Amino acid sequence: GIYACGPYPMLAAIAPIADQYGLPYHASLEANMACGFGACMGCVVPMKGDKEKRTYRLVCKDGPVFDSREILWNEHKTGVGGWGLGVGKVEGQDV
């Protein structure tokens, strides 16, 4: 399996490689955590939910390590704070 920590673009780039080779991949995510126990919602990560719906998890409370197959990598807000609700791309690539 693959275990990685580091900047978001690197973590997102590893996800399709892990999928291609059928390798389990756990990513340790970084996020601004103002409170550290889930009250501020500053470290929200968009995740796959039931029936193709989106859900959210907190890096401070539910993570920081997540199964990469559950993360919606293409729904990342760039800039300070990292994760957000806006749809984005990594270095111009869909991930």
Side-chain angles (χ1 to χ4, degrees):
I2 300 172
Y3 301 91
C5 63
Y8 174 82
M10 181 195 79
L11 296 175
I14 294 171
I17 296 168
D19 286 343
Q20 178 182 354
Y21 291 100
L23 297 171
Y25 167 36
H26 288 83
S28 180
L29 304 179
E30 299 175 355
N32 287 341
M33 296 182 228
C35 71
F37 59 90
C40 72
M41 305 300 248
C43 60
V44 171
V45 179
M47 307 287 281
K48 294 176 185 172
D50 294 336
K51 299 179 184 176
E52 299 182 18
K53 291 186 178 182
R54 178 188 313 113
T55 187
Y56 298 95
R57 308 268 307 272
L58 301 171
V59 173
C60 72
K61 188 175 175 184
D62 303 316
V65 178
F66 297 95
D67 183 333
S68 72
R69 294 170 293 190
E70 297 178 10
I71 300 170
L72 292 172
W73 291 105
N74 63 340
E75 295 192 16
H76 180 267
K77 183 180 89 177
T78 58
V80 177
W83 294 99
L85 305 180
V87 175
K89 294 186 178 184
V90 177
E91 303 288 325
Q93 302 172 20
D94 288 322
V95 289

